[in-house]
Amino acid sequence: MAYYIVLPFGLAVSLVFCIKRAKGFSISNLMLKSVSSLCYLLTAVFALISNPTANTYGSLIIFGGALGLVGDILLDLKGIYKKDESSYLKGGFLFFLAGHLFYSASVIYSIKLKWWIILICVAASFLFSFLNLALSKFIKVHFGAYRTIVFIYTVFLALTLFLSVAAAIVSNFAKGYVILSIGAVLFTLSDAILSNTFFGRNKENALYFFTNHFSYYAGQYLIAASILFMK
């Protein structure tokens, strides 16, 4: 029952944050962002309580979401405390990277993917990351000193996406994995927009801020909600 209360409440708070965040960085927006992130984490917790049979999968998703919450806060601190911008940005990358490790582990464990499928997903993730760097100069995105960490992070971001899609296919498009896959697609889209905002030129505007956070929270809530449909 609590799941059906916290989910709409969290969505409403996140939408308010997305609207306010379009106006830029501030301490009040950071606090609202923290509440928004806590809500998707609580959505995952209550989804697991409602569906305890997904114990391991749900626990791994919750750990991944908790790491994402810390990453959320660090990325906003980057915009508030400019002198420590580099440290907060790298910290955000590392926490989100660790979160994707848990997300990927949840998929591999829950559906017991065969080793060759995992290997294909890993290879596709490296290719995806290589293409991301190769195409960056054509879309006027300049990673500079962050080129290495962007490459590594993108590998793990893409791995979550490809493993989720593979699981959906292998499971004959079971509802939980389809929801997870859509969430992973939106998460990836959010990071693509975020990359343009952080590393692109003249792209820090209200539309980028809003679409980045809207797609991010939509993705995280779907990933959390997938717990409810896992067996």
Side-chain angles (χ1 to χ4, degrees):
M1 184 67 177
Y3 170 85
Y4 296 101
I5 296 174
V6 73
L7 178 60
F9 174 78
L11 290 172
V13 172
S14 298
L15 181 59
V16 171
F17 166 72
C18 288
I19 294 170
K20 288 178 65 63
R21 182 62 180 79
K23 299 177 181 178
F25 295 99
S26 69
I27 293 295
S28 62
N29 280 350
L30 173 59
M31 294 175 66
L32 188 57
K33 183 178 190 179
S34 300
V35 174
S36 301
S37 299
L38 179 61
C39 284
Y40 75 66
L41 187 58
L42 287 175
T43 297
V45 170
F46 287 121
L48 181 56
I49 292 172
S50 299
N51 181 26
T53 57
N55 181 38
T56 303
Y57 173 85
S59 298
L60 290 169
I61 291 292
I62 289 168
F63 276 117
L67 289 163
L69 187 156
V70 178
D72 277 339
I73 294 172
L74 290 174
L75 290 184
D76 252 40
L77 288 173
K78 160 196 171 292
I80 296 172
Y81 301 107
K82 294 290 186 180
K83 66 177 182 177
D84 296 316
E85 178 179 3
S86 178
S87 297
Y88 287 126
L89 181 55
K90 289 178 181 177
F93 270 121
L94 291 174
F95 273 95
F96 274 112
L97 186 156
H100 283 296
L101 279 173
F102 279 96
Y103 286 162
S104 294
S106 71
V107 178
I108 293 170
Y109 177 85
S110 63
I111 200 168
K112 305 295 190 295
L113 283 176
K114 295 181 179 179
W115 68 267
W116 58 269
I117 296 178
I118 298 172
L119 189 60
I120 290 173
C121 290
V122 170
S125 299
F126 273 95
L127 178 60
F128 183 93
S129 192
F130 274 119
L131 289 174
N132 178 56
L133 291 185
L135 293 173
S136 62
K137 63 181 179 180
F138 296 106
I139 57 176
K140 298 181 179 180
V141 173
H142 307 275
F143 297 121
Y146 301 100
R147 193 175 181 85
T148 300
I149 195 169
V150 167
F151 175 81
I152 296 171
Y153 170 74
T154 305
V155 170
F156 288 96
L157 168 69
L159 186 59
T160 297
L161 172 61
F162 291 131
L163 286 172
S164 301
V165 173
I169 295 170
V170 169
S171 67
N172 292 316
F173 300 100
K175 185 181 292 185
Y177 291 112
V178 170
I179 292 172
L180 175 65
S181 297
I182 297 172
V185 169
L186 287 169
F187 201 128
T188 305
L189 175 62
S190 169
D191 275 353
I193 299 169
L194 186 64
S195 178
N196 276 270
T197 303
F198 280 177
F199 304 110
R201 293 179 178 174
N202 302 316
K203 293 185 178 180
E204 290 195 5
N205 58 50
L207 179 61
Y208 272 88
F209 282 140
F210 179 82
T211 53
N212 162 228
H213 287 89
F214 182 82
S215 55
Y216 169 73
Y217 280 111
Q220 286 283 45
Y221 277 107
L222 285 172
I223 291 171
S226 69
I227 298 172
L228 202 61
F229 303 97
M230 293 297 179
K231 297 179 181 179

Coordinates of all heavy atoms in Angstrom, one line a residue, residues 106-168:
S106 N 22.2 -6.8 -10.7 CA 20.8 -7.2 -10.5 C 20.2 -8.0 -11.7 O 19.5 -9.0 -11.5 CB 20.0 -6.0 -10.1 OG 19.7 -5.2 -11.3
V107 N 20.6 -7.5 -12.9 CA 20.0 -8.2 -14.1 C 20.7 -9.5 -14.3 O 20.0 -10.5 -14.5 CB 20.3 -7.3 -15.3 CG1 19.8 -8.0 -16.6 CG2 19.6 -5.9 -15.2
I108 N 22.0 -9.6 -14.2 CA 22.7 -10.8 -14.4 C 22.3 -11.9 -13.4 O 22.1 -13.1 -13.8 CB 24.3 -10.6 -14.2 CG1 24.8 -9.7 -15.4 CG2 25.0 -11.9 -14.3 CD1 26.2 -9.2 -15.2
Y109 N 22.1 -11.5 -12.1 CA 21.8 -12.5 -11.1 C 20.3 -12.9 -11.3 O 20.0 -14.1 -11.2 CB 21.9 -11.9 -9.7 CG 21.5 -12.8 -8.6 CD1 22.3 -13.8 -8.1 CD2 20.2 -12.8 -8.1 CE1 21.9 -14.7 -7.1 CE2 19.7 -13.6 -7.1 CZ 20.6 -14.6 -6.6 OH 20.2 -15.5 -5.7
S110 N 19.4 -12.0 -11.5 CA 18.0 -12.3 -11.5 C 17.6 -13.3 -12.6 O 16.7 -14.1 -12.5 CB 17.1 -11.1 -11.6 OG 17.4 -10.4 -12.8
I111 N 18.2 -13.1 -13.8 CA 17.8 -13.9 -15.0 C 18.8 -14.9 -15.3 O 18.6 -15.7 -16.3 CB 17.4 -13.0 -16.2 CG1 16.5 -13.8 -17.2 CG2 18.6 -12.4 -16.8 CD1 15.9 -12.9 -18.2
K112 N 20.0 -14.9 -14.6 CA 21.0 -15.9 -14.9 C 21.4 -15.9 -16.4 O 21.4 -16.9 -17.1 CB 20.6 -17.3 -14.5 CG 20.1 -17.4 -13.0 CD 21.3 -17.1 -12.1 CE 20.9 -17.5 -10.6 NZ 19.8 -16.7 -10.1
L113 N 21.8 -14.7 -16.8 CA 22.2 -14.6 -18.2 C 23.4 -15.4 -18.6 O 24.4 -15.6 -17.8 CB 22.6 -13.1 -18.6 CG 21.4 -12.1 -18.7 CD1 22.0 -10.7 -18.9 CD2 20.6 -12.5 -19.9
K114 N 23.4 -16.0 -19.7 CA 24.6 -16.9 -20.2 C 25.8 -16.0 -20.4 O 25.7 -14.8 -20.8 CB 24.2 -17.6 -21.4 CG 23.1 -18.6 -21.2 CD 22.7 -19.4 -22.5 CE 21.6 -20.4 -22.2 NZ 21.2 -21.2 -23.4
W115 N 27.0 -16.6 -20.2 CA 28.2 -15.9 -20.3 C 28.4 -15.2 -21.6 O 28.9 -14.1 -21.7 CB 29.4 -16.8 -19.9 CG 29.7 -17.8 -21.0 CD1 29.2 -19.1 -21.0 CD2 30.5 -17.7 -22.2 NE1 29.6 -19.8 -22.1 CE2 30.4 -18.9 -22.9 CE3 31.2 -16.7 -22.7 CZ2 31.1 -19.1 -24.1 CZ3 31.9 -16.9 -23.9 CH2 31.8 -18.1 -24.6
W116 N 28.0 -15.9 -22.7 CA 28.3 -15.3 -24.0 C 27.4 -14.1 -24.3 O 27.7 -13.1 -25.0 CB 28.1 -16.3 -25.1 CG 26.8 -17.0 -25.2 CD1 26.4 -18.1 -24.6 CD2 25.6 -16.5 -26.0 NE1 25.1 -18.4 -24.9 CE2 24.6 -17.5 -25.8 CE3 25.4 -15.4 -26.8 CZ2 23.3 -17.3 -26.4 CZ3 24.2 -15.3 -27.4 CH2 23.1 -16.3 -27.2
I117 N 26.2 -14.0 -23.7 CA 25.3 -12.9 -23.8 C 25.9 -11.7 -23.0 O 26.0 -10.5 -23.5 CB 23.9 -13.2 -23.2 CG1 23.2 -14.2 -24.1 CG2 23.0 -11.9 -23.2 CD1 21.8 -14.7 -23.6
I118 N 26.5 -12.0 -21.8 CA 27.1 -10.9 -21.0 C 28.3 -10.4 -21.8 O 28.6 -9.2 -21.8 CB 27.6 -11.5 -19.7 CG1 26.3 -12.0 -18.8 CG2 28.3 -10.5 -18.9 CD1 26.7 -12.7 -17.6
L119 N 29.1 -11.3 -22.4 CA 30.3 -10.9 -23.2 C 29.9 -10.0 -24.3 O 30.6 -9.0 -24.6 CB 31.0 -12.1 -23.7 CG 32.4 -11.9 -24.3 CD1 33.3 -11.2 -23.3 CD2 33.0 -13.2 -24.8
I120 N 28.8 -10.3 -25.0 CA 28.4 -9.5 -26.1 C 28.0 -8.1 -25.6 O 28.3 -7.1 -26.2 CB 27.2 -10.1 -26.9 CG1 27.6 -11.4 -27.7 CG2 26.5 -9.1 -27.8 CD1 26.5 -12.2 -28.3
C121 N 27.3 -8.1 -24.5 CA 26.9 -6.8 -23.9 C 28.1 -5.9 -23.5 O 28.1 -4.7 -23.6 CB 26.0 -7.0 -22.7 SG 24.3 -7.7 -23.1
V122 N 29.1 -6.6 -22.9 CA 30.3 -5.9 -22.5 C 31.0 -5.3 -23.8 O 31.4 -4.1 -23.8 CB 31.3 -6.8 -21.8 CG1 32.6 -6.1 -21.6 CG2 30.7 -7.2 -20.4
A123 N 31.1 -6.1 -24.8 CA 31.7 -5.6 -26.1 C 31.0 -4.5 -26.7 O 31.5 -3.5 -27.1 CB 31.8 -6.8 -27.1
A124 N 29.6 -4.6 -26.7 CA 28.8 -3.5 -27.2 C 28.9 -2.2 -26.4 O 28.9 -1.1 -26.9 CB 27.3 -4.0 -27.2
S125 N 29.1 -2.4 -25.1 CA 29.3 -1.2 -24.2 C 30.6 -0.5 -24.5 O 30.6 0.7 -24.5 CB 29.3 -1.7 -22.7 OG 28.0 -2.3 -22.4
F126 N 31.7 -1.2 -24.7 CA 32.9 -0.6 -25.1 C 32.8 0.1 -26.4 O 33.3 1.2 -26.6 CB 34.1 -1.6 -25.1 CG 34.7 -1.9 -23.8 CD1 34.3 -2.9 -23.0 CD2 35.7 -1.0 -23.4 CE1 34.9 -3.1 -21.7 CE2 36.3 -1.2 -22.1 CZ 35.9 -2.2 -21.3
L127 N 32.1 -0.5 -27.4 CA 31.9 0.1 -28.7 C 31.1 1.4 -28.5 O 31.4 2.4 -29.2 CB 31.2 -0.9 -29.6 CG 30.9 -0.4 -31.0 CD1 32.2 0.0 -31.8 CD2 30.1 -1.4 -31.8
F128 N 30.1 1.3 -27.7 CA 29.2 2.5 -27.5 C 30.0 3.6 -26.9 O 29.9 4.8 -27.4 CB 28.1 2.1 -26.5 CG 27.1 3.2 -26.2 CD1 25.9 3.2 -26.9 CD2 27.3 4.1 -25.2 CE1 25.0 4.2 -26.7 CE2 26.4 5.1 -24.9 CZ 25.2 5.1 -25.7
S129 N 30.9 3.3 -26.0 CA 31.7 4.4 -25.3 C 32.8 4.9 -26.3 O 33.0 6.1 -26.3 CB 32.4 3.8 -24.1 OG 33.0 4.8 -23.3
F130 N 33.4 4.1 -27.1 CA 34.3 4.5 -28.2 C 33.6 5.5 -29.1 O 34.1 6.6 -29.5 CB 34.9 3.4 -28.9 CG 36.1 2.8 -28.3 CD1 36.1 1.4 -27.9 CD2 37.3 3.5 -28.1 CE1 37.2 0.9 -27.3 CE2 38.4 3.0 -27.5 CZ 38.4 1.7 -27.1
L131 N 32.4 5.1 -29.6 CA 31.6 6.0 -30.5 C 31.2 7.3 -29.8 O 31.2 8.3 -30.5 CB 30.4 5.2 -31.0 CG 30.6 4.0 -31.9 CD1 29.3 3.3 -32.2 CD2 31.2 4.5 -33.2
N132 N 30.9 7.3 -28.5 CA 30.6 8.5 -27.8 C 31.7 9.5 -27.9 O 31.5 10.7 -28.1 CB 30.3 8.1 -26.4 CG 29.9 9.4 -25.5 OD1 29.0 10.1 -25.9 ND2 30.6 9.6 -24.5
L133 N 33.0 9.0 -27.7 CA 34.1 9.9 -27.7 C 34.4 10.3 -29.2 O 34.8 11.5 -29.4 CB 35.4 9.2 -27.2 CG 35.4 8.9 -25.6 CD1 36.7 8.3 -25.2 CD2 35.1 10.2 -24.8
A134 N 34.3 9.4 -30.1 CA 34.6 9.7 -31.5 C 33.7 10.8 -32.1 O 34.1 11.6 -32.9 CB 34.5 8.4 -32.3
L135 N 32.4 10.7 -31.6 CA 31.4 11.6 -32.2 C 31.4 12.9 -31.4 O 30.7 13.9 -31.9 CB 30.0 11.0 -32.1 CG 29.8 9.7 -33.1 CD1 28.5 9.1 -32.8 CD2 29.9 10.2 -34.5
S136 N 32.0 13.0 -30.3 CA 31.9 14.2 -29.5 C 32.4 15.5 -30.2 O 31.8 16.5 -30.0 CB 32.7 14.0 -28.2 OG 34.1 13.8 -28.5
K137 N 33.4 15.4 -31.0 CA 33.9 16.6 -31.7 C 32.9 17.1 -32.7 O 32.9 18.3 -33.1 CB 35.3 16.3 -32.3 CG 35.3 15.3 -33.3 CD 36.8 15.1 -33.9 CE 36.9 14.0 -34.9 NZ 38.2 13.8 -35.4
F138 N 32.1 16.2 -33.3 CA 31.2 16.5 -34.3 C 30.0 17.2 -33.8 O 29.3 18.0 -34.4 CB 30.8 15.3 -35.1 CG 31.9 14.7 -35.9 CD1 32.5 13.5 -35.5 CD2 32.4 15.3 -37.0 CE1 33.5 12.9 -36.2 CE2 33.5 14.7 -37.7 CZ 34.0 13.5 -37.3
I139 N 29.7 16.9 -32.5 CA 28.5 17.6 -31.8 C 28.9 18.7 -30.9 O 28.2 19.1 -30.0 CB 27.6 16.5 -31.1 CG1 28.4 15.7 -30.1 CG2 27.0 15.6 -32.1 CD1 27.6 14.8 -29.3
K140 N 30.2 19.0 -31.0 CA 30.8 20.2 -30.2 C 30.7 19.9 -28.7 O 30.3 20.8 -27.9 CB 30.1 21.5 -30.6 CG 30.3 21.8 -32.1 CD 29.6 23.1 -32.4 CE 29.9 23.5 -33.9 NZ 29.2 24.8 -34.3
V141 N 31.1 18.7 -28.3 CA 31.2 18.4 -26.9 C 32.7 18.1 -26.6 O 33.3 17.3 -27.3 CB 30.4 17.1 -26.5 CG1 30.6 16.7 -25.1 CG2 28.9 17.4 -26.7
H142 N 33.2 18.8 -25.6 CA 34.6 18.8 -25.3 C 34.9 18.3 -23.9 O 34.6 19.0 -22.9 CB 35.2 20.2 -25.5 CG 34.9 20.8 -26.8 ND1 35.7 20.6 -27.9 CD2 33.9 21.6 -27.2 CE1 35.1 21.2 -28.9 NE2 34.1 21.9 -28.5
F143 N 35.3 17.0 -23.8 CA 35.5 16.4 -22.5 C 36.8 16.8 -21.8 O 36.9 16.7 -20.6 CB 35.5 14.8 -22.7 CG 34.2 14.3 -23.1 CD1 34.1 13.6 -24.3 CD2 33.0 14.5 -22.4 CE1 32.9 13.1 -24.8 CE2 31.8 14.0 -22.9 CZ 31.7 13.3 -24.1
G144 N 37.8 17.2 -22.6 CA 39.0 17.7 -22.0 C 39.6 16.7 -21.0 O 39.8 15.5 -21.3
A145 N 39.9 17.2 -19.8 CA 40.6 16.4 -18.8 C 39.7 15.3 -18.3 O 40.2 14.3 -17.6 CB 41.0 17.3 -17.6
Y146 N 38.4 15.3 -18.6 CA 37.5 14.3 -18.1 C 37.3 13.1 -19.1 O 36.5 12.3 -18.9 CB 36.2 14.9 -17.8 CG 36.2 16.0 -16.7 CD1 36.2 17.3 -17.1 CD2 36.3 15.7 -15.4 CE1 36.3 18.3 -16.1 CE2 36.4 16.6 -14.4 CZ 36.4 18.0 -14.8 OH 36.4 19.0 -13.9
R147 N 38.1 13.1 -20.2 CA 37.9 12.2 -21.3 C 38.0 10.7 -20.8 O 37.1 9.9 -21.1 CB 39.0 12.4 -22.3 CG 38.7 11.7 -23.7 CD 39.7 12.2 -24.7 NE 39.5 11.5 -26.0 CZ 38.7 12.0 -26.9 NH1 38.0 13.1 -26.7 NH2 38.5 11.3 -28.0
T148 N 39.0 10.4 -19.9 CA 39.1 9.0 -19.5 C 38.0 8.6 -18.6 O 37.4 7.5 -18.8 CB 40.4 8.9 -18.7 OG1 41.5 9.2 -19.6 CG2 40.6 7.5 -18.2
I149 N 37.6 9.4 -17.6 CA 36.5 9.0 -16.7 C 35.2 9.0 -17.4 O 34.3 8.2 -17.1 CB 36.5 10.0 -15.5 CG1 35.6 9.3 -14.4 CG2 35.9 11.4 -15.8 CD1 35.7 10.0 -13.1
V150 N 35.0 9.8 -18.4 CA 33.8 9.8 -19.2 C 33.7 8.5 -20.0 O 32.6 7.8 -20.0 CB 33.7 11.0 -20.2 CG1 32.6 10.7 -21.3 CG2 33.4 12.3 -19.5
F151 N 34.8 8.0 -20.5 CA 34.9 6.8 -21.3 C 34.5 5.6 -20.4 O 33.7 4.8 -20.7 CB 36.3 6.6 -21.9 CG 36.4 5.2 -22.6 CD1 35.9 5.0 -23.9 CD2 37.0 4.1 -21.9 CE1 36.0 3.8 -24.5 CE2 37.1 2.9 -22.5 CZ 36.6 2.7 -23.8
I152 N 35.2 5.5 -19.2 CA 34.9 4.4 -18.3 C 33.5 4.4 -17.8 O 32.8 3.4 -17.8 CB 35.9 4.5 -17.1 CG1 37.3 4.3 -17.5 CG2 35.6 3.4 -16.0 CD1 38.4 4.6 -16.5
Y153 N 33.0 5.6 -17.4 CA 31.6 5.7 -16.9 C 30.6 5.3 -18.0 O 29.7 4.5 -17.7 CB 31.3 7.1 -16.5 CG 29.8 7.3 -16.2 CD1 29.2 6.7 -15.0 CD2 29.0 7.9 -17.1 CE1 27.9 6.8 -14.8 CE2 27.6 8.0 -16.9 CZ 27.1 7.5 -15.7 OH 25.7 7.5 -15.5
T154 N 30.9 5.7 -19.2 CA 29.9 5.4 -20.3 C 29.9 3.9 -20.6 O 28.8 3.3 -21.0 CB 30.3 6.1 -21.6 OG1 30.4 7.5 -21.4 CG2 29.3 5.9 -22.7
V155 N 31.0 3.2 -20.4 CA 31.0 1.7 -20.5 C 30.0 1.1 -19.6 O 29.2 0.3 -20.0 CB 32.4 1.1 -20.3 CG1 32.3 -0.4 -20.2 CG2 33.4 1.5 -21.4
F156 N 30.0 1.5 -18.3 CA 29.1 0.9 -17.3 C 27.7 1.4 -17.5 O 26.7 0.6 -17.2 CB 29.6 1.3 -15.9 CG 30.9 0.5 -15.6 CD1 32.1 1.1 -15.7 CD2 30.8 -0.8 -15.1 CE1 33.3 0.4 -15.4 CE2 31.9 -1.5 -14.8 CZ 33.2 -0.9 -15.0
L157 N 27.5 2.6 -17.9 CA 26.1 3.1 -18.3 C 25.5 2.3 -19.4 O 24.4 1.8 -19.3 CB 26.2 4.6 -18.7 CG 25.0 5.2 -19.4 CD1 23.9 5.3 -18.3 CD2 25.3 6.5 -20.0
A158 N 26.3 2.1 -20.4 CA 25.8 1.3 -21.6 C 25.6 -0.2 -21.2 O 24.7 -0.8 -21.7 CB 26.8 1.4 -22.7
L159 N 26.4 -0.7 -20.3 CA 26.3 -2.1 -19.8 C 24.9 -2.3 -19.2 O 24.3 -3.3 -19.4 CB 27.4 -2.5 -18.9 CG 27.5 -3.9 -18.5 CD1 27.6 -4.8 -19.7 CD2 28.6 -4.2 -17.5
T160 N 24.5 -1.4 -18.3 CA 23.2 -1.5 -17.7 C 22.1 -1.5 -18.8 O 21.2 -2.3 -18.7 CB 22.9 -0.2 -16.8 OG1 23.8 -0.2 -15.7 CG2 21.5 -0.3 -16.2
L161 N 22.2 -0.7 -19.8 CA 21.3 -0.6 -20.9 C 21.2 -1.9 -21.7 O 20.1 -2.5 -21.9 CB 21.6 0.6 -21.8 CG 20.8 0.7 -23.1 CD1 19.3 0.8 -22.8 CD2 21.3 1.8 -24.0
F162 N 22.4 -2.4 -22.1 CA 22.4 -3.6 -23.0 C 22.0 -4.8 -22.2 O 21.3 -5.7 -22.8 CB 23.8 -3.7 -23.6 CG 24.1 -2.7 -24.6 CD1 25.3 -2.0 -24.6 CD2 23.2 -2.3 -25.6 CE1 25.6 -1.0 -25.5 CE2 23.5 -1.3 -26.5 CZ 24.7 -0.7 -26.5
L163 N 22.4 -4.9 -21.0 CA 22.0 -6.1 -20.2 C 20.5 -6.1 -19.9 O 19.8 -7.2 -20.0 CB 22.7 -6.1 -18.8 CG 24.2 -6.5 -18.8 CD1 24.8 -6.3 -17.5 CD2 24.4 -7.9 -19.3
S164 N 19.9 -4.9 -19.7 CA 18.5 -4.8 -19.5 C 17.7 -5.2 -20.7 O 16.7 -6.0 -20.7 CB 18.1 -3.4 -19.1 OG 18.8 -3.0 -17.9
V165 N 18.1 -4.8 -21.9 CA 17.5 -5.1 -23.2 C 17.6 -6.6 -23.4 O 16.7 -7.3 -23.8 CB 18.1 -4.3 -24.3 CG1 17.5 -4.8 -25.7 CG2 17.7 -2.8 -24.1
A166 N 18.8 -7.2 -23.2 CA 19.1 -8.6 -23.4 C 18.2 -9.4 -22.5 O 17.6 -10.4 -22.9 CB 20.6 -8.9 -23.1
A167 N 18.0 -9.0 -21.2 CA 17.1 -9.7 -20.3 C 15.7 -9.7 -20.7 O 15.0 -10.7 -20.6 CB 17.3 -9.1 -18.9
A168 N 15.3 -8.5 -21.3 CA 13.9 -8.4 -21.8 C 13.7 -9.4 -22.9 O 12.6 -10.1 -23.0 CB 13.6 -7.0 -22.2

